[in-house]
């Protein structure tokens, strides 16, 4: 066991505070990672405030982890000391079910995936995330960060990047396709970059035009305000694919009207409230309302390699660990462009 410093929420809705946690001893197939940077995801806020249900406390959030290997177990074959690596949203799964064998570990059907934090691992211990100095992870749930990516801008790719890359790839974003990214935040800004490089015609749909210059700079071809009713009239039947990053309940009937026939509205944002939907919005036009949950380990590595090849990283605001609570508050007010990243040397 190793004692490391961390920032944890002691109880639901309580401010995070500096503390210490225990990391397990390195096992045969484990790697010990010195964490250099950790992205701050909206999921961290929701979990620490029990927005998605009962949670485990004290909670150390953080599932956008970038660092350097400092120790490896005797059976490790994929990594060596000094390698630049990342850890995303999961740190274990059953490894035997059809989904795990297909590289869809995030959809494990035998006990579910083990989340990087706020979960009970298969060893019976609570998992703690990246708001800490070090983490121990089985090598099969670690990915390599290519040399072409700086660790600070790579960290948010471990959640935000794969969360956007996976549906864009699955639903065929590319030349000849019109893709809308709903929401230009921590997820959406990376989605714009990826969809643009894939060759799609990209439109940002945002509540206002406040970030229009940023959206166009990041690769969007068009930018519309959803607060303007004329937007829905002008863009009716326009898109092959809409990826919604919004974490608030939407008028899904209105957004489904923006799709071509057939088109898909894929949700990666998770509202805490239930939604309403008139099924005729789907039936007329053979449209699809779908969800997408991250990606597996192999696809996450594919995404990192893709981003490195095209020079894509997150737009970040680097913060000290002492600023985490302020960052949570600012995120809730949409006051970040576009991802907070913790400098873990300050923990």
């Amino acid at each position: 066991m190793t004692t490391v410093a961390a920032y944890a929420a002691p109880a639901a809705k309580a401010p995070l505070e500096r503390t210490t946690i225990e990391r397990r001893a390195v096992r045969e197939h484990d790697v010990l990672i010195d964490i250099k940077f950790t992205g701050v995801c909206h999921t961290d806020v929701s979990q620490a405030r029990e927005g998605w249900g009962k949670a485990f406390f004290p909670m150390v959030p953080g599932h956008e982890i970038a660092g350097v290997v400092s120790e490896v177990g005797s059976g490790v074959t994929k990594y060596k000391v000094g390698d630049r690596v990342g850890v995303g949203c999961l740190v274990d799964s059953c490894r035997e079910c059809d989904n795990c064998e297909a590289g869809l570990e995030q959809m494990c059907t035998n006990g579910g995936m083990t989340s990087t934090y706020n979960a009970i691992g298969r060893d019976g211990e609570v998992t703690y995330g990246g708001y800490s100095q070090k983490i121990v992870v089985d090598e099969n749930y670690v990915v390599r960060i290519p040399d072409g990516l700086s660790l600070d801008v790579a960290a948010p790719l471990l959640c935000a990047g794969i969360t956007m890359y996976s549906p864009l790839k699955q639903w065929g974003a590319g030349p000849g396709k019109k893709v809308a990214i709903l929401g230009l935040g921590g997820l959406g800004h990376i989605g714009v970059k990826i969809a643009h490089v894939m060759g799609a015609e990209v439109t940002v749909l945002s509540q206002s035009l406040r970030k229009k210059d940023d959206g166009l700079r990041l690769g969007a071809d068009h930018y519309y305000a959803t607060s303007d009713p004329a937007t829905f009239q002008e863009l009716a039947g326009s898109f092959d694919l809409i990826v919604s990053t919004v974490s608030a309940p939407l008028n899904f009937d209105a957004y489904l009207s923006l799709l071509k026939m057939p088109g898909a509205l894929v949700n990666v944002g998770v509202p805490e409230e239930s939604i309403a939907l008139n099924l005729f919005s789907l039936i007329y036009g053979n449209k699809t309302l779908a969800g997408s949950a991250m990606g597996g380990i192999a696809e996450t590595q594919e995404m990192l390699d893709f981003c490195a090849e095209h020079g894509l990283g997150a737009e970040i605001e680097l913060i000290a660990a002492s600023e985490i609570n302020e960052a949570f508050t600012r995120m809730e007010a949409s006051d970040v462009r576009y991802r907070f990243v913790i400098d873990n040397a300050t923990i």
Side-chain angles (χ1 to χ4, degrees), residues 275-312:
I275 66 163
L277 176 67
N278 185 331
L279 286 176
F280 282 113
S281 298
L282 293 175
I283 292 169
Y284 287 118
N286 293 334
K287 297 174 183 178
T288 298
L289 178 62
S292 179
M294 309 167 309
I297 301 301
E299 189 176 40
T300 301
Q301 186 64 64
E302 177 185 305
M303 176 275 304
L304 287 170
D305 295 340
F306 176 90
C307 288
E309 178 184 355
H310 296 284
L312 303 183

Side-chain angles (χ1 to χ4, degrees), residues 169-233:
K169 176 187 172 187
Q170 180 177 346
W171 271 273
K177 294 295 182 73
K178 292 186 176 182
V179 174
I181 304 297
L182 180 51
L184 190 69
L187 293 172
H189 90 281
I190 294 176
V192 169
K193 288 186 174 189
I194 292 174
H196 172 72
V197 169
M198 286 179 168
E201 181 179 334
V202 183
T203 297
V204 173
L205 301 174
S206 185
Q207 194 169 36
S208 73
L209 299 178
R210 182 169 56 94
K211 300 177 183 177
K212 181 176 180 179
D213 289 345
D214 280 359
L216 298 178
R217 173 179 61 82
L218 294 169
D221 300 287
H222 315 285
Y223 199 109
Y224 289 86
T226 57
S227 57
D228 183 355
T231 291
F232 292 89
Q233 297 174 0

Side-chain angles (χ1 to χ4, degrees), residues 239-286:
F239 301 111
D240 299 286
L241 171 65
I242 301 172
V243 181
S244 173
T245 70
V246 176
S247 296
L250 299 171
N251 181 345
F252 278 89
D253 299 303
Y255 286 99
L256 286 165
S257 75
L258 302 182
L259 291 173
K260 292 181 180 181
M261 299 184 292
L265 170 54
V266 182
N267 292 273
V268 297
V270 184
E272 295 178 6
E273 304 91 340
S274 298
I275 66 163
L277 176 67
N278 185 331
L279 286 176
F280 282 113
S281 298
L282 293 175
I283 292 169
Y284 287 118
N286 293 334

Side-chain angles (χ1 to χ4, degrees), residues 5 48 52 66 99 104 139 160 174 179 213 237 291 293:
W52 293 350
N99 284 349
L104 299 171
E139 65 173 327
V179 174
D213 289 345

